[in-house]
Amino acid sequence: MERLVEVSEQEALIDFSLNCKCRANVRLTSLCATSPVAFKVQTSSPHKFLVNPPSGLVPPLSQATLQIILKPQTQLPSSFPRSPSDRFLIKTARFTTNSPESSPPTNRDSVNSWISTRQTQDIKLKVAFVGPLLLSHAVNRGDLDSTMNIIKRQKSILTELTQREAESLLRVATELDNSESMVNLLLEAGLRIDARVESDNVDSKWLSKGWSEIHAAAMFDRDDDIASLVKRQPWSLDCRDKEGRTALHLAASKGNIRCAQVLLESGADKDARSINGRTALHRAAANGDRSMVELLIEMGGDPTIEDDKGLSALDVARNEGIEEILEVMEQGEQVLMAARRGDIKHLESLLRRGASTDYRDQYGLTPLHAAAIRGHKDIALRLLALGVDLECQDNEGHSPLHLAVEGGWMGTVEVLVNNGANVNAKTKRGSCSWLRQPMTSIDPSRTTKHHRLRSKSKPFKITSNLFDDLLEFSAQSYSYRIPVSRTQPNWSELEPYPI
């Protein structure tokens, strides 16, 4: 059955506080283009919740906002963040006018009456309680699961805490029996504090985790301290904590870009692996931190290194569906630039690190186009060996062969034709690649082994014709005629003549 509405959230997230009303908004979007959609909201806990409006109509392809209101509560929820006993049911039905006398319901009572007589599509809406109060309560009782689930649902909760709230939460965490796990969870999830104000008790917890001074500096975004520590203790740059993490791992986990940059510029191992095999790139990719991923890739981080589960940072980005992170790590733009410059060493380095050859720029140019434009036949050969599309077209329909011919790069033309390029391919304007007569009338194996023609200032503009046994190449104001039967003509013997 075709869906009538779409709900913005699968859970109503209530930012819980004691003794006051707490609210959450849920948006209904009509997917019906021809008629209004009637809705009615029911709750399993009418003694706790109100809904405004409880019923109504959503116009075609429009939206309606429902406000879920929790009445003032004197006690904390018995279960959080998920509350199994609290849920909502949104009943929907398409309103159709079958006769002139029929008209949409005009008030809530009439909507309730009308929808109760119709077959409805029902949407279930769960309830979850979040907020600083419940987070603090979960940390106080050492409840890792509730703490993690609150943070997962309310991603900004830790970063929105004041400095005093953050320090208080951390002090509580350090006094738990499972302090190491709780502190690690809070810090990796984004809790930000100034380590300078920490007590001796907190410092002892850092030591219990195996952290050195440089670990703490990286965790708390103290790039000046890192620079000083590297000068005084250069050996500490890649020292490990009990989980095998370096300072760079912690900086990447927290998104502390300045610390990561100082560490990398000081020579930190960009591909250092923790006990579980993860690199800093794994952590940055999992966090969806584009700036950190860009920095690590720019500094040579390898996104193909696999952790103990066989997952690379590229796999992490793919599994999380983070397209912008995946695009950065595939390094397609760098591959295109290396192809354009003819930098085979850089290209090989990129390919070893899992770079993609499928990138296109704003003009639709691929790395093979870029190599063809500049006549870099070694680059073209390498890309073709990887199986790139020989007939790929840019936004104007140019294939790599079109561009190699237009540039006069006959060596590159030879590579492309020998690998099966379609010499009769046409652009979107209908232009053929380079012969005024079909190339099929010439045996490519006897006509393509030519050196490229270049003038002192720029590549020749090449056109060609077939005259009996001669292949004529016209370049600027001169032509060169080459016997078709000669597979490797002696270019020094060729005499140009005016066209």
Side-chain angles (χ1 to χ4, degrees), residues 180-251:
E180 184 171 347
S181 298
M182 183 63 78
V183 168
N184 193 50
L185 170 61
L186 293 173
L187 293 176
E188 290 196 358
L191 185 69
R192 294 182 177 274
I193 62 171
D194 183 351
R196 294 183 180 89
V197 303
E198 290 308 305
S199 65
D200 292 339
N201 183 46
V202 173
D203 289 338
S204 69
K205 295 299 180 182
W206 300 159
L207 294 175
S208 72
K209 293 169 69 65
W211 284 6
S212 64
E213 288 184 81
I214 202 167
H215 282 98
M219 179 61 76
F220 302 125
D221 203 14
R222 289 158 28 203
D223 54 305
D224 290 341
D225 288 358
I226 289 176
S228 175
L229 285 166
V230 169
K231 290 180 181 178
R232 291 188 289 110
Q233 305 170 359
W235 50 266
S236 69
L237 192 58
D238 289 322
C239 63
R240 311 294 182 118
D241 67 7
K242 290 184 177 180
E243 296 182 30
R245 299 174 301 180
T246 65
L248 183 60
H249 281 97
L250 300 186

Side-chain angles (χ1 to χ4, degrees), residues 451 453 480-482 486 488-496:
H451 297 59
L453 295 172
Y480 294 82
R481 287 183 177 175
I482 306 167
R486 294 170 59 179
Q488 292 190 12
N490 185 347
W491 289 85
S492 62
E493 296 176 1
L494 297 177
E495 292 292 333

